[in-house]
Amino acid sequence: MVTLGAGCGLRQGEIFGLAVDDVDFGEGVIHVRQQVKLIHGKQMFGLPKHDRERTVPLPESVAEALKGHLTQFPAREITLPWEELTGDPHALRLVLTSRVPKALNRNYINKVIWKPALERLGVIAKDRPTRKTTGRAKQTTREHGMHALRHYYASVLLDAGESVKALAEYLGHSDPGFTLRTHTHLMSGSDGRTRKVIDTALGLAHQETGTEPEQAT
């Protein structure tokens, strides 16, 4: 889950709904075609957010992790209704499933798997159980939820100089402006990049001419 979120920018529901047939190891891409939705406690398959299918790059590191996972845990066919609880049954060979097997349930994952993992790593403080503790209190906030993996993905690409338009397509945003507004705080300052670019350019000029940059001009 972490590798797909941080390495490909997939949403939680898209990770849960990723089918092995959506992964093209040869072309190095993942086709995001559906997600697992949870309505009134019931699961179903549906189109990704905004009804926008998309294709995202599959980095080699993520591909190797997926191959290793599928070798140990082969994809299993899961059948769920499509788009609504009374929708037609839709069968997909999912990359990630529960032990039962079923599609992963976000309520269970967030409360039983994700939050305890963050507590063990010291990312969030461990709750002290009280009589007033409710099920909602046990849930992770959006800041510390799996959505943070998409922010990590965005920050890495923006820091490397990827265009906002390309990032918007990878994240499945309909408007690059939304991507810029949402992730602009993740963009590192340009000072360091400017210094590096100029140093590289002037150093290259020195290597080619054998003179100091000011002499070369």
Side-chain angles (χ1 to χ4, degrees), residues 19-124:
V20 69
D21 297 322
D22 298 329
V23 182
D24 190 331
F25 290 105
E27 293 296 324
V29 296
I30 286 179
H31 302 289
V32 184
R33 294 170 172 146
Q34 66 279 321
Q35 63 174 319
V36 171
K37 294 179 165 183
L38 193 65
I39 306 296
H40 303 305
K42 302 293 184 180
Q43 291 179 313
M44 68 189 74
F45 289 128
L47 289 170
K49 192 173 182 179
H50 306 306
D51 296 338
R52 289 173 58 90
E53 296 185 15
R54 67 188 190 279
T55 299
V56 300
L58 175 63
E60 186 63 29
S61 57
V62 179
E64 290 304 313
L66 274 176
K67 290 176 183 177
H69 173 81
L70 290 169
T71 297
Q72 187 174 3
F73 304 101
R76 293 187 287 189
E77 186 173 290
I78 303 297
T79 301
L80 291 173
W82 182 259
E83 286 292 358
E84 54 187 32
L85 296 178
T86 57
D88 294 333
H90 205 74
L92 294 169
R93 295 190 299 144
L94 298 185
V95 171
L96 298 171
T97 58
S98 67
R99 290 172 293 179
V100 177
K102 291 182 178 179
L104 296 181
N105 184 302
R106 70 169 184 246
N107 289 339
Y108 176 83
I109 292 296
N110 291 343
K111 182 173 67 175
V112 181
I113 304 296
W114 185 256
K115 185 175 181 180
L118 296 185
E119 291 175 345
R120 287 196 298 271
L121 290 170
V123 176
I124 59 176

Side-chain angles (χ1 to χ4, degrees), residues 79-186:
T79 301
L80 291 173
W82 182 259
E83 286 292 358
E84 54 187 32
L85 296 178
T86 57
D88 294 333
H90 205 74
L92 294 169
R93 295 190 299 144
L94 298 185
V95 171
L96 298 171
T97 58
S98 67
R99 290 172 293 179
V100 177
K102 291 182 178 179
L104 296 181
N105 184 302
R106 70 169 184 246
N107 289 339
Y108 176 83
I109 292 296
N110 291 343
K111 182 173 67 175
V112 181
I113 304 296
W114 185 256
K115 185 175 181 180
L118 296 185
E119 291 175 345
R120 287 196 298 271
L121 290 170
V123 176
I124 59 176
K126 188 172 184 178
D127 285 339
R128 293 183 178 180
T130 67
R131 293 182 179 180
K132 295 182 180 181
T133 299
T134 64
R136 185 176 181 80
K138 296 179 182 178
Q139 300 293 327
T140 55
T141 63
R142 186 174 179 82
E143 177 186 3
H144 294 123
M146 284 184 63
H147 198 77
L149 298 175
R150 277 168 60 84
H151 285 288
Y152 173 82
Y153 176 79
S155 68
V156 170
L157 291 189
L158 288 173
D159 187 62
E162 182 59 274
S163 73
V164 173
K165 184 177 185 300
L167 178 61
E169 293 177 356
Y170 300 155
L171 291 175
H173 292 164
S174 57
D175 176 20
F178 173 81
T179 306
L180 183 61
R181 292 190 298 272
T182 303
H183 299 292
T184 186
H185 66 287
L186 300 175

